Amino acid sequence: MFGYVRPAADHLSEEESRAYKALYCGLCHTLGRRYGGVSRWILNYDFTFLAALLSGTVATEQRRCIASPFRARTAAVGNDALDLAADCSVILTGYKLRDEVLDSSFLRSQGCRAAGAVLGGAFRKACERRPRFAGHTKEEMARLLSLEQRRCATLDEPADTFASLLAGIAGEVEDPVQRRVLTQFLYHLGRWIYLVDALDDLEKDAGEGQYNPILLRCGLQDGKLSGEDRRSVVVTLDASIRQMAAAFELWDFGPWSGVIRATVYDGLYRVGNAVLEGTFHASPRKKDRGGKKEHI
Amino acid sequence: MNDPYKVLNVPSTATDEEVKKAYRELARKYHPDNYHDNPLADLAQEKMKEINEAYSTIQKMRHQSGGQASYSGQGGYSRSSYGGYGGYQQADYSQGTPFQRVRFAIQRNDLNMAEQLLSAISDHTAEWHFLRGAICMRRGWLDEARRSFQQACAMDPGNGEYRQALERLENSGQAYRPAGFEVFTSDCGSSNLCGGLLCSYCLCNSCIGGTMCC
């Protein structure tokens, strides 16, 4: 479900790209510091985007790491926002792995079980640090499971679980206005991610008989969505992106404004297009961009 | 009050034309149409008020006599409603028709109450579907919202309020975007749009040591 949130690179200045990379490195170091080296493999750009939404100005430092042992890279110095992003990343990944154990073929589920066992200690620690968010995530995942079991045929209801789950991260933020803006932003980010993932898995789920709300809501003709159904999905995806953009304009995200702008006014639309056209995986395959193996 | 030039994000040396352009860009950004049935509408309304005041102040400072007239020419932006349910100045839920009570609850962002009131109405008219759509909109249930607005429009095709709600949701290119941002999710297919994404992969890879080629 992860890997879809990307800023459009051509709308970023050199400086913004550099700062975003430094944030990525900073989040990686934060994960390592808080949860040990093995937790670093969960890192991906979606979690970096989360860190951008939560961070204001960050200091940077030069650090070497396992991916760059000889040349030091610029990395954001850890702060409360990176800690929060790291904690939530571990909790989300932990639940995602559990979900896949239930959801997958035997071999794949064994893989997820093993990964879950490796992450287990980190997951427990993160849940202790963020009991409110962990409890909330548990509830929403249970709600999603029950919707899947009764094969709920609407888009909004199952999407609401993942959307509410992400929106729950905003509950950890102090400022009341920032919390409201982030709640709305993260709700629609979660909704969009859930639906774009369902769109992405449409053919696979149809073949394997897996739960897919778009499949149940729309049905396929000759293995494809009808023109009208395609439009319904596009309208609802774009409407969520516009809600994110509208929320974005109501809070000053400081140095991360450029990255967020390049995501909500362009990047997400491009990802949606690529998924719709079936070209999203033309580059790295899905399992390679799920935030797992490539970061070791 | 804040420095009006800061609010409009222009230097105090900006020309009248530049000030006006900055004002218009911001007014377009926080326009009620972008925040209709949005739980953050009140924040957008505050922003708009701030922008209007800043523009008005600059106009007054620069043109002691003629400024007021040119400002009021822009007043259209502040007149539109953010809630879309104005005109119901009631004090509690006991007044008005059942539909007015639902609108009142929506306006107060009391969505559970609105839903409860709506479910008590057994006659599912066009307005019923419209109001259901408005509640779904605020909750972020955008697919259900669209279906409800479509139903309302099908039952009462001549109603402008219902049609506008549907058009806003389906957008059709009306919502604010900064200059230079033009990509939409397209339902008619265009394969060259993922170019910028590949660059994102590059951005990703360059950070982790370029282990994947793109």
Side-chain angles (χ1 to χ4, degrees):
Chain A
M1 191 173 275
F2 302 126
Y4 296 105
V5 183
R6 296 164 183 284
D10 46 350
H11 284 293
L12 293 181
S13 69
E14 192 102 330
E15 195 186 334
E16 285 166 338
S17 292
R18 259 204 307 270
Y20 200 43
K21 281 179 208 170
L23 189 64
Y24 181 97
C25 293
L27 182 58
C28 187
H29 287 300
T30 302
L31 279 167
R33 179 167 50 79
R34 281 171 90 76
Y35 297 104
V38 80
S39 70
R40 292 182 171 201
W41 56 259
I42 72 166
L43 183 63
N44 65 38
Y45 263 95
D46 291 11
F47 294 143
T48 311
F49 187 71
L50 182 62
L53 285 173
L54 298 170
S55 302
T57 310
V58 293
T60 57
E61 61 187 347
Q62 295 296 315
R63 288 188 73 164
R64 279 184 250 277
C65 66
I66 192 164
S68 175
F70 304 115
R71 194 164 60 85
R73 291 176 189 279
T74 308
V77 178
N79 59 18
D80 289 353
L82 281 176
D83 287 351
L84 175 56
D87 297 348
C88 294
S89 303
V90 171
I91 293 171
L92 284 169
T93 308
Y95 275 105
K96 178 176 176 268
L97 289 170
R98 285 186 179 188
D99 187 47
E100 286 186 7
V101 170
L102 295 170
D103 211 38
S104 310
S105 64
F106 177 74
L107 263 182
R108 186 159 161 63
S109 82
Q110 291 306 304
C112 293
R113 217 182 279 273
V118 171
L119 192 66
F123 179 68
R124 272 193 300 279
K125 206 190 267 181
C127 290
E128 276 166 25
R129 282 177 169 150
R130 307 282 173 187
R132 186 170 34 178
F133 178 65
H136 174 68
T137 303
K138 190 176 174 187
E139 274 169 31
E140 295 300 339
M141 292 304 284
R143 191 155 69 93
L144 179 59
L145 188 66
S146 94
L147 288 170
E148 286 178 359
Q149 278 164 352
R150 67 176 172 86
R151 299 187 81 71
C152 174
T154 74
L155 301 185
D156 294 319
E157 241 177 309
D160 181 66
T161 63
F162 193 66
S164 301
L165 193 161
L166 274 203
I169 297 172
E172 307 286 326
V173 168
E174 294 286 328
D175 185 286
V177 173
Q178 186 187 17
R179 195 188 313 134
R180 280 184 67 196
V181 169
L182 278 177
T183 300
Q184 172 77 353
F185 190 107
L186 289 168
Y187 182 92
H188 283 283
L189 183 65
R191 183 179 188 272
W192 181 86
I193 290 174
Y194 181 86
L195 291 175
V196 101
D197 187 54
L199 183 64
D200 204 5
D201 288 343
L202 203 53
E203 284 168 33
K204 181 178 82 63
D205 288 344
E208 295 173 3
Q210 293 278 4
Y211 174 76
N212 186 310
I214 298 178
L215 195 61
L216 292 171
R217 152 90 159 85
C218 304
L220 296 183
Q221 295 168 359
D222 304 325
K224 288 200 165 13
L225 288 174
S226 73
E228 176 53 33
D229 289 333
R230 240 171 112 93
R231 171 138 174 83
S232 289
V233 174
V234 165
V235 163
T236 217
L237 284 174
D238 283 8
S240 265
I241 301 175
R242 284 201 308 281
Q243 298 278 337
M244 281 181 247
F248 160 69
E249 299 292 357
L250 294 171
W251 181 255
D252 182 3
F253 288 91
W256 310 112
S257 299
V259 166
I260 301 168
R261 187 177 299 114
T263 305
V264 300
Y265 286 113
D266 192 315
L268 297 184
Y269 291 111
R270 289 193 204 212
V271 171
N273 267 314
V275 168
L276 203 60
E277 293 307 308
T279 54
F280 189 66
H281 306 295
S283 346
R285 282 171 305 156
K286 183 168 184 178
K287 75 180 179 69
D288 289 333
R289 61 175 175 76
K292 290 176 195 146
K293 300 179 183 65
E294 77 263 47
H295 297 309
I296 292 174
Chain B
M1 187 184 152
N2 294 333
D3 175 1
Y5 290 102
K6 226 180 217 169
V7 172
L8 297 188
N9 201 18
V10 288
S12 56
T13 52
T15 63
D16 283 1
E17 201 49 46
E18 283 162 349
V19 170
K20 193 170 171 181
K21 204 176 149 207
Y23 166 74
R24 285 203 164 151
E25 172 78 2
L26 287 171
R28 219 158 58 78
K29 188 186 282 187
Y30 298 111
H31 193 277
D33 277 356
N34 292 330
Y35 292 92
H36 204 92
D37 279 324
N38 187 313
L40 304 177
D42 58 312
L43 297 178
Q45 198 167 8
E46 271 169 40
K47 283 266 188 201
M48 191 64 120
K49 203 172 142 229
E50 221 177 282
I51 294 158
N52 279 334
E53 278 170 9
Y55 188 64
S56 170
T57 307
I58 294 174
Q59 291 296 314
K60 274 185 207 150
M61 286 191 305
R62 291 190 172 190
H63 319 275
Q64 283 299 341
S65 50
Q68 194 54 39
S70 79
Y71 165 63
S72 61
Q74 300 288 340
Y77 286 124
S78 56
R79 268 204 309 274
S80 337
S81 155
Y82 283 86
Y85 304 96
Y88 297 94
Q89 301 299 334
Q90 57 200 81
D92 60 58
Y93 292 108
S94 63
Q95 297 173 22
T97 68
F99 283 136
Q100 278 171 352
R101 286 205 287 271
V102 175
R103 284 174 186 259
F104 177 60
I106 295 174
Q107 200 181 342
R108 294 183 37 155
N109 224 5
D110 189 351
L111 299 183
N112 291 334
M113 172 61 86
E115 213 155 46
Q116 207 181 318
L117 290 167
L118 197 64
S119 67
I121 301 171
S122 54
D123 190 8
H124 294 186
T125 59
E127 187 172 14
W128 188 90
H129 287 285
F130 165 71
L131 292 174
R132 181 174 183 275
I135 295 169
C136 288
M137 258 322 268
R138 290 203 178 210
R139 285 202 193 286
W141 288 40
L142 305 175
D143 188 51
E144 291 296 313
R146 180 166 179 248
R147 288 213 243 190
S148 295
F149 288 150
Q150 281 175 330
Q151 181 68 25
C153 289
M155 290 168 80
D156 187 356
N159 187 302
E161 189 183 23
Y162 308 163
R163 190 170 34 79
Q164 273 176 15
L166 182 61
E167 280 172 6
R168 259 194 307 267
L169 174 52
E170 295 183 344
N171 187 41
S172 30
Q174 296 301 310
Y176 168 81
R177 303 185 115 195
F181 288 92
E182 278 136 18
V183 182
F184 285 96
T185 313
S186 162
D187 49 351
C188 48
S190 174
S191 57
N192 61 354
L193 286 170
C194 20
L197 278 181
L198 296 178
C199 293
S200 303
Y201 284 120
C202 298
L203 188 143
C204 176
N205 289 334
S206 65
C207 192
I208 54 164
T211 49
M212 287 184 308
C213 179
C214 56

